[in-house]
Amino acid sequence: MNTKTISNSSSLTCTKLTLLTVLAVLIQITGLSVFIMGFFPVKPTLSGISGLESFYPPGFDPTDLSQNVSTLPPDKLKSFYQELSGVPPVFDRLVLMVIDGLPAEFVLGRDGMHPRKEFVEAMPYTQSLLAKGLAIGYHAKAAPPTVTMPRLKAMVSGAIGGFLDVAFNFNTQAFLDDNLIVQFFRFGWKMVMLGDETWLKLFPTMFTRCDGVSSFFVKDTIQVDYNVSRHLADELKSTDWDLLILHYLGLDHVGHNGGRNSNLMTPKLMEMDEVIKMIHSSTIQTQEVKQRGTLLLVVSDHGMTESGNHGGSSYEETDSLALFISPGTFNYTSETNNKAFQVDIAATLALLFGVPIPKNNVGTLMAEVFTSLTDEQQLRILELNSWQLLRLLQAQFPELECGRFSCEPGSVGHDDAEMFCCLYLDAAALFESWKSKSSSRSVGGDDYRSIVLAYQNFLRSASKWLSGRATDKPIGLLACGIAAMLLSCSILVGLLFVYGRDSPLGGIQHLSHKENMKKGHLDEIFILAVIFILILSMGSSSMVEEEQYIWHFMTASLYLILLRKTLQSSTPGRLLHAQNVNSKQKRSCSRIYSIVAVLTSGRILRGWHQGGVNWAHLPDISKFLEQAGSAPIKSLQLISILLVISISLTSILWPFWKSRFVMLFTVIFLFPGWLVLQDILNYQDSIFASASSDAIATTMAQNIYALLSIFTVGTLFAIPWFMPLKNSKTSRLCCFSIDISPQIQSEPLLWGFRDSIYVIGWCCVFSWCLLQLLLQQPINSMPVLLLLVQILASIWYFSDGDPHTRQWVEVAALYYVGMAGHFGLGNTNTLATIDVAGAFIGVSSHSTFISGILMFIITYASPMLALLSMLIYVSAKDMSAFVDTQNEMNFGHLLKMCVGYPCLVPLGLNSIFLVAYTIVLLLMRNHLFVWSVFSPKYLYVCATTACIYIGTLFVALATTYTCMAFATRRMWKGFFWKG
């Protein structure tokens, strides 16, 4: 068929396809942005700082008094507030020791059981404090996302931040809401901070002295804590501070590098125990008699999973510690099974030190810490906490006026507002009655216990409601966002249908329309069934948590269907005798072997990481190798990189063995591969490395980044201009099974175009694999190799041009392999599996932007590899339809046919999943697990969308540039021929 006829009769030109696709993507981005702004707004807060109103019941207007108080110096303000409070401060000074990432069960045990023996032995002094009643420990449950910055905010303000704080964790801004640090500053406190620089970013002008360290160089487990402890002896001797903050990061870094069971975990716990002993011995036990004493509060911002990561909502991640250590004994039988919430720390500290409770606090006081107070004082702090929460409820319920409700004792209202009022009024009435009986009441009597119980009922109910309250979502804004995404999805799917009708490379077009209607295409039906099944599974929180099983099963099933088709189209009896097998049957054999390679690699990937949430503890290959020690893992690393280099070098050199490009390609592929090999041999897993070797490793990684970038970009720009137009020494292209048609042999420009796309594709794939071998955890080196094998075997299978397989099915199969591989590398739909450690390889000074890019590269290694391999896939397809009998080539039509399916299919499939899950998230906005399961999954969906945009854009631009280069070369050829 004449290509002019093809392009002229086509209703979808290259220009139209490009413009409509870009338009659809822009509409999708707009809709997604609108939805995110509507669904994840910043949580509304009460403005201003708590003051006089904290010591009066709601409804009291202290405006006149506030004008006089605002001019008081800090010491007078402190005395005035303490007089209004009616409760003297329990302590004078505070040492806040934050051990980043420490699970409470390491110190307190779990479910009433003692901690593991090695942990008890690692912290003997801390355990002795608990045993003697000098310390009270709490399992202080943290709210997701369990990353440092929002958890520090929760501890000092008592408020639960917005879910998108997980993104702001990498670019912390000054904290402007009411919080304890501001309240202490108003009282004239001198504050010192040593450790995580997040504190300095949250409170940039509050500290008298400070020494901040970056929290993101997770390879460092020693220096990061030494920088804190080196100042400790001098600070403990000083008397010029009121608050000393020590934020130790080493234990969290140990977890990121080796998990909970790392060999470095016990030594790090011993180090922290020595710090606690030093503080308690030097500061608390030597207090002057006149002083009330110094409180040592040991807290953790979050826990960690078995692999040492965090960010999600599992028990292991949310089990944070709050350990109160007093200079004297608490009048309380110490237990290790006390339960609290992390937000309770703010209210507790405010009441212990006599400062107003922060306005947006949703926590309740930890009553066991206040046992040294009298009964009346303990009831007073319950009253102050109740007043603060009642004000916050009134901000949520403008109509909340408790005076208009008539509540019988013990009654519960019909709605939330009335219920809260009745609970509060019940407690307040009992307290007033108790105060009027000053002569007849007994210490700790039944009346007292009834009041405490009544206040606690109100506090628990109000705190739970305020903590779990989802912010009001503008439904109109959300609907606009979904409508835009639906429109974008419709455009992309419509383009796929129109393009499929016009495409001469659909594969199925070689059959007659009658044959097409008769023949059932199980692979196409299955691809659509997978989409339907995935959409249905999105509504189940358990299926979202265990999504990896769907991708592994569906991908394997799809290739089994393709294997069945291949076996049906061959003659198995003759395939057993090689001497009787003709060329077509040999191809059938190679196609069968290709699918077997895909299925075998996929099964190993499936068993490499158990993945998910509910069964992540079950045995898998990675756990077995980690238990076997570092030698097997190192061996697999070396085997993987050598095989990646060998496969890539063989594939790229085979078609050009006798050309002048051999030496160039050899250098391009071997030199960066050798550098990565050197890095793995000399610098990876060197936890005890010196500063000089760390600097060398960083420089080595930076050199690898630069070389890979230069080689990839250089190949992309240079190859189309220097690629030979014809290679008469070979009759088959690029090691793949497709023969070179006579039309291509007669059109040297098309031959050169095809070879150029092949070389560019291999250069990108090889560079990406090397980058992953450098950045991924060592245990993931073999999965990277298996992913490469899967993708190459798939392309080999599809290169034969099976007339019974549509091209969109082939591209969808590669997309499915990429998504299954995403989970095969250990990724899940929880934030805890994001590899933070690898994001700082080669980073000499902290950069949020660079580390964010590296984190994205690590997380989306498999989907991006599948997208980059589309260039190799394009070069392996039959392009004879683009050349007519007069050797004329339409480059616009060529470009359209090359990038049509490789770009439209991933964009179309992703748009369907994006729209479906957006609707699911909207429907689940009041679900119990909306923030712990559905919202993290939506962040992954958005990141996957960005990955698809980047990958398809690169494929389109690389192919377009190559087309333009060869169109220019044809123009020059014609010009010089005429000249």
Side-chain angles (χ1 to χ4, degrees), residues 845-910:
S845 60
H846 175 60
S847 168
T848 301
F849 179 72
I850 294 175
S851 297
I853 291 176
L854 291 176
M855 202 176 301
F856 180 85
I857 289 172
I858 296 169
T859 305
Y860 286 92
S862 180
M864 189 63 75
L865 180 62
L867 291 169
L868 293 175
S869 70
M870 293 294 177
L871 291 170
I872 305 177
Y873 168 80
V874 167
S875 69
K877 299 303 293 181
D878 182 12
M879 298 184 181
S880 59
F882 302 144
V883 183
D884 65 9
T885 57
Q886 299 177 354
N887 296 336
E888 293 181 357
M889 185 167 59
N890 186 323
F891 276 103
H893 192 63
L894 170 64
L895 180 60
K896 169 188 164 184
M897 292 299 106
C898 285
V899 301
Y901 278 129
C903 291
L904 282 178
V905 171
L907 286 172
L909 288 173
N910 183 76

Side-chain angles (χ1 to χ4, degrees), residues 175-247:
F175 189 36
L176 302 179
D177 296 342
D178 191 10
N179 60 82
L180 289 176
I181 303 299
V182 171
Q183 293 289 352
F184 289 149
F185 187 79
R186 293 179 69 209
F187 270 29
W189 275 31
K190 304 298 182 182
M191 294 177 280
V192 178
M193 199 293 299
L194 307 173
D196 187 355
E197 64 182 5
T198 303
W199 288 95
L200 302 180
K201 295 177 180 178
L202 288 172
F203 310 105
T205 61
M206 297 292 178
F207 298 107
T208 305
R209 291 188 299 276
C210 59
D211 185 8
V213 297
S214 175
S215 61
F216 295 110
F217 291 106
V218 295
K219 291 294 183 182
D220 174 21
T221 63
I222 299 174
Q223 190 68 33
V224 72
D225 284 346
Y226 172 75
N227 288 340
V228 178
S229 295
R230 64 179 176 172
H231 301 287
L232 189 54
D234 292 337
E235 292 297 344
L236 292 177
K237 294 175 184 177
S238 300
T239 58
D240 64 342
W241 54 263
D242 301 285
L243 169 62
L244 174 62
I245 298 176
L246 310 170
H247 193 137

Side-chain angles (χ1 to χ4, degrees), residues 151 324 349 356 370 872 904 910:
R151 302 282 54 81
F324 293 82
L349 289 178
F370 296 91
I872 305 177
L904 282 178
N910 183 76

Side-chain angles (χ1 to χ4, degrees), residues 599-630:
L599 292 173
T600 304
S601 300
R603 184 61 190 90
I604 297 173
L605 276 172
R606 161 65 185 84
W608 202 269
H609 291 284
Q610 191 60 238
V613 175
N614 299 313
W615 296 285
H617 63 282
L618 295 179
D620 54 38
I621 298 174
S622 64
K623 293 187 182 72
F624 173 77
L625 290 172
E626 287 170 347
Q627 291 171 358
S630 60

Side-chain angles (χ1 to χ4, degrees), residues 806-842:
R806 291 186 186 269
Q807 192 185 1
W808 73 267
V809 173
E810 298 171 356
V811 176
L814 287 172
Y815 176 89
Y816 285 8
V817 167
M819 291 306 299
H822 173 70
F823 294 102
L825 286 171
N827 295 297
T828 66
N829 286 327
T830 67
L831 302 176
T833 51
I834 295 177
D835 183 7
V836 179
F840 298 92
I841 294 176

